[in-house]
Structure formats: structure tokens, C-alpha cells
Amino acid sequence: MKNLLLVLFVLSTFCGCATSSIPTKEALVVPADRIFRTEKLPIDGNARASFVRDTGFTGSGVYQNLFINGKKAAALNPGEKVEFLLVPGEYIFGAIPTDPFGTHALNTIDQDIKAGRNYFYRIQTDGNSFRTSIQRYLPEAE
């Protein structure tokens, strides 16, 4: 009986937890074989967008697939980051977990990207609904 109570406590602890943000400088870089947007742009006249996936147990068994304007750009593990140079303009960024059963929806955010600016985005998973979201944030002072 004690073992059953311990298992139930551990499961309830993990299931109720959302993921946690990680400082950008501590996140690992996504390996090149999981980066699908490979166009090379000059730094001048463009913007830089960094995407960081939270750490934590919730959803950690699958990749979070990052989409830029409807095209798969990268697949991130927990605690990883990827950066892209983007031509200024309107963008729709989205994230969805790897899902062979089609039970998750692509969650998106639209952004107007300006030349010469740096943008930071957090990919997170809610522990109660397992819903993925992507949000813009201000990075910590480095």
C-alpha cells in the first residue's frame, strides 16, 4: 500500500508541473541534423530570432517542432536553443510536439520583425493540459 501511495504522489507531482524557463546562455544549441531551415542570410539588414525550449519533465519525451511561416524549421529537445536570421517582415512562429496520433494543435504567435533587432522566444508546455505555447520574452542580462 505504501508503494502505491508513493507512486501516486510522484505521478501527481510530475503531471501538475509546467516546464521551467532556462537562461538563454545556458541552453544547448540544437544539433545541425535537427535544423531544417538552412538558408544563409547576411547579418546586415536582417533580424535575429532565438528560440529556447523550456526544461522539465512535462513533454520531455518528444521534440517540440518549431515552424516559421508554416514550414518546419527545427526540432528542439528540452533545454535547447536555435537561432535564425530573418528578413524583416511579418512572421508566424509555431510550435507543436512530435505527435504521431495527431492529438495536438500547432500553437502560433504572429510577429512583425524589424531589421537589426534581436527577438527571443520561449517554447513551453503546460503541465495540466500538455498544451504547447510560444511566447516572446526579454532575455536575462548577460
Side-chain angles (χ1 to χ4, degrees), residues 71-87:
K71 294 183 181 174
K72 189 173 175 181
L76 290 83
N77 265 326
E80 288 185 336
K81 66 183 172 186
V82 65
E83 182 178 279
F84 296 102
L85 287 174
L86 300 173
V87 174

Side-chain angles (χ1 to χ4, degrees), residues 53 59 62-68 70-76 93-108 123-125 130-134:
R53 181 175 173 188
V62 296
Y63 294 124
Q64 283 289 348
N65 294 311
L66 171 67
F67 287 80
I68 298 176
K71 294 183 181 174
K72 189 173 175 181
L76 290 83
F93 302 128
I96 187 171
T98 303
D99 181 8
F101 305 109
T103 58
H104 288 80
L106 180 66
N107 291 288
T108 61
I123 300 171
Q124 58 192 6
T125 304
F130 294 102
R131 182 178 182 271
T132 296
S133 64
I134 184 168

Side-chain angles (χ1 to χ4, degrees), residues 5-135:
L5 291 175
L6 179 62
V7 169
L8 290 174
F9 172 75
V10 170
L11 285 175
S12 67
T13 301
F14 283 130
C15 291
C17 298
T19 54
S20 301
S21 63
I22 180 172
T24 307
K25 61 185 172 194
E26 292 178 21
L28 301 172
V29 176
V30 173
D33 65 330
R34 286 192 275 118
I35 299 174
F36 309 108
R37 183 184 177 103
T38 57
E39 66 183 338
K40 304 293 182 201
L41 297 174
I43 293 173
D44 291 341
N46 291 306
R48 186 180 312 266
S50 298
F51 300 87
V52 179
R53 181 175 173 188
D54 281 2
T55 61
F57 179 77
T58 304
S60 64
V62 296
Y63 294 124
Q64 283 289 348
N65 294 311
L66 171 67
F67 287 80
I68 298 176
N69 287 343
K71 294 183 181 174
K72 189 173 175 181
L76 290 83
N77 265 326
E80 288 185 336
K81 66 183 172 186
V82 65
E83 182 178 279
F84 296 102
L85 287 174
L86 300 173
V87 174
E90 293 284 329
Y91 285 88
I92 297 175
F93 302 128
I96 187 171
T98 303
D99 181 8
F101 305 109
T103 58
H104 288 80
L106 180 66
N107 291 288
T108 61
I109 181 174
D110 60 324
Q111 298 286 278
D112 184 17
I113 301 296
K114 306 288 185 197
R117 300 217 20 219
N118 293 321
Y119 298 86
F120 296 88
Y121 299 91
R122 176 182 175 199
I123 300 171
Q124 58 192 6
T125 304
D126 178 69
N128 294 320
S129 67
F130 294 102
R131 182 178 182 271
T132 296
S133 64
I134 184 168
Q135 69 180 27

